[in-house]
Amino acid sequence: MIYVHIPFCHSKCAYCDFYSTPDSRRMEDVCERILLEYSLRKDELGPAARTRTLYFGGGTPSILPPHLLTRLARGLYRPDETEEFTIEVNPEDVSPEAVAHWRGEGVNRVSMGIQSFVDSELQAVGRRHSGADALRAIRLLRQGGITNLSCDLIYGLPGQTRESWRYSLERLLGERPAHISAYCLSYEPGTLLTRRLEQGRIRATDDETIGDMYAYLCQSLRAEGYEHYEISNFALPGLRSKHNSSYWTGTPYLGLGPGAHSLDFRGVRRYNPPDIRRYTAAEGFPVATVDEEDDTDRLNDLLITALRTAEGLDLSRLTSDQAEKLMAKASPFMRGGMLDGDGGRVRITEEAWLTSDGILRELLF
């Protein structure tokens, strides 16, 4: 599997801490370097690796001009191997011409950031589209033949209420996308939204309201037939994200572009600097740095990724000593109903996923 980080956006959303920039002057250079990086690093996937999934993320890949998207797609997409080719898009970039071009280059899945259908909430976090724009984009994608559509929403936005969250969720369910990702807003260091919070210009949504929003999310999507298969992800049967699911099962992947991370077939993690100038410099390319991990780090990686999923952690992947220690740590959470286990697996319950960070901190080795 291959992940391509496109670090360009029209503008920076107030909550975003992913590496991106509105300065597109180096876009051509970055795309050429991505193809060069692939040619130099593709063996990290293993001698018989197949490009089963290809994912263009960012940033906002949908702002790529057609000739650059074509250049990248034709350098990385393998029609005889690639089962799922996803591109992240924003509603304002969706047009009949864009959809036709994406499909023509092999894209068969779109992940679209909507976040809310309430215009005041969108404006509060610097989104460029309206709720009407999002609905129009969903319909244009379907009319253009892209039916495997994933849509993102955020709960806990500034000014959002229980009622407005229900409105956004119900508007989206009315369109019945194949996949829904719903994230609780987090205030990340260095973001514009966090500065506003520290300055007292906005207030964080209280925990009780967040809990009610999450409960309504789970109940509503379950009633509509969606599977809650990962903390933030829901899918209609058979339509889980193949790419993202591979991350959670430890499948090797190659991350290309500034800021991208990788996991090679030997279990070694690498990361590229989140710096376009350094990434495109002639000296010392490729620039991927090994993320030095010991056995404990790798074990904790396994716990964190597996316990994000509905399937949970298969205890047979641990040594008997590790499994015994983990179950001793897990015991209080199992008594409290936050963890359950059967058939040699341990899972965080759906009700407790909202507080999973605190549970994981207690389980790590």
Side-chain angles (χ1 to χ4, degrees):
M1 53 188 276
I2 297 174
Y3 171 78
V4 182
H5 189 74
I6 306 297
F8 302 103
C9 286
H10 294 295
S11 59
K12 191 82 168 176
C13 296
Y15 54 79
C16 181
D17 71 332
F18 291 113
Y19 177 60
S20 65
T21 175
D23 183 353
S24 62
R25 288 175 294 179
R26 306 296 293 274
M27 192 179 281
E28 193 109 22
D29 291 344
V30 167
C31 290
E32 289 303 319
R33 284 285 166 157
I34 285 170
L35 293 173
L36 174 59
E37 183 182 10
Y38 173 69
S39 71
L40 295 171
R41 297 185 59 202
K42 58 186 177 182
D43 290 346
E44 291 175 20
L45 289 172
R50 295 167 59 86
T51 308
R52 182 168 170 260
T53 66
L54 176 61
Y55 193 107
F56 285 7
T60 311
S62 57
I63 73 170
L64 283 174
H67 74 283
L68 289 182
L69 187 131
T70 293
R71 181 95 172 88
L72 287 178
R74 295 186 183 179
L76 301 171
Y77 173 61
R78 302 288 179 264
D80 57 335
E81 297 179 3
T82 308
E83 301 169 20
E84 182 183 273
F85 180 2
T86 303
I87 183 172
E88 292 182 355
V89 312
N90 279 345
E92 64 267 26
D93 296 325
V94 178
S95 67
E97 297 77 17
V99 176
H101 183 241
W102 298 334
R103 279 205 73 199
E105 297 303 338
V107 171
N108 59 12
R109 184 175 184 273
V110 163
S111 177
M112 183 161 63
I114 294 174
Q115 320 314 2
S116 172
F117 282 95
V118 178
D119 290 351
S120 61
E121 294 172 3
L122 293 168
Q123 293 161 8
V125 293
R127 299 293 291 178
R128 291 162 48 92
H129 68 272
S130 66
D133 292 334
L135 286 174
R136 183 165 53 249
I138 290 172
R139 292 161 189 174
L140 284 173
L141 285 161
R142 285 185 168 147
Q143 289 165 13
I146 295 180
T147 58
N148 193 356
L149 173 62
S150 178
C151 296
D152 294 359
L153 292 178
I154 297 177
Y155 54 99
L157 291 167
Q160 192 177 51
T161 64
R162 292 174 175 86
E163 291 72 25
S164 68
W165 167 240
R166 291 176 181 176
Y167 171 81
S168 288
L169 189 56
E170 288 165 7
R171 288 298 293 273
L172 184 56
L173 284 173
E175 299 299 318
R176 200 167 175 79
H179 189 280
I180 294 174
S181 296
Y183 302 99
C184 181
L185 179 70
S186 59
Y187 289 86
E188 301 296 339
T191 63
L192 178 59
L193 205 61
T194 297
R195 290 198 294 273
R196 290 175 181 167
L197 181 68
E198 293 167 347
Q199 294 164 359
R201 296 168 59 190
I202 58 172
R203 294 177 61 184
T205 307
D206 64 87
D207 290 344
E208 182 180 353
T209 300
I210 291 290
D212 289 346
M213 290 175 170
Y214 175 74
Y216 186 78
L217 167 73
C218 296
Q219 294 162 7
S220 298
L221 270 63
R222 187 185 308 114
E224 293 295 326
Y226 287 83
E227 300 170 345
H228 192 179
Y229 72 101
E230 192 268 347
I231 290 177
S232 303
N233 288 279
F234 304 76
L236 292 173
L239 293 170
R240 297 182 182 190
S241 167
K242 294 179 181 178
H243 185 88
N244 289 341
S245 294
S246 296
Y247 290 141
W248 306 319
T249 56
T251 302
Y253 63 95
L254 181 60
L256 306 173
H261 290 243
S262 302
L263 174 66
D264 76 13
F265 75 103
R266 294 186 176 90
V268 176
R269 295 186 183 274
R270 292 177 174 84
Y271 60 92
N272 287 338
D275 184 325
I276 288 175
R277 289 185 180 180
R278 187 174 163 197
Y279 182 76
T280 56
E283 298 294 328
F285 194 84
V287 290
T289 300
V290 172
D291 188 359
E292 301 293 348
E293 290 190 309
D294 58 23
D295 289 343
T296 300
D297 294 326
R298 284 186 281 274
L299 175 58
N300 287 334
D301 286 341
L302 171 62
L303 295 183
I304 291 169
T305 52
L307 289 173
R308 292 184 62 89
T309 67
E311 284 72 26
L313 173 66
D314 182 352
L315 293 176
S316 69
R317 300 181 69 180
L318 310 184
T319 67
S320 57
D321 182 56
Q322 290 168 343
E324 184 178 343
K325 288 180 179 177
L326 176 66
M327 294 309 293
K329 295 180 181 183
S331 180
F333 296 106
M334 299 188 82
R335 288 195 299 271
M338 290 176 279
L339 287 175
D340 64 27
D342 59 69
R345 288 182 176 272
V346 175
R347 306 172 190 83
I348 298 178
T349 61
E350 183 182 55
E351 295 76 16
W353 257 340
L354 194 58
T355 56
S356 59
D357 287 350
I359 297 171
L360 287 170
R361 278 195 295 270
E362 297 301 319
L363 298 181
L364 295 181
F365 285 82

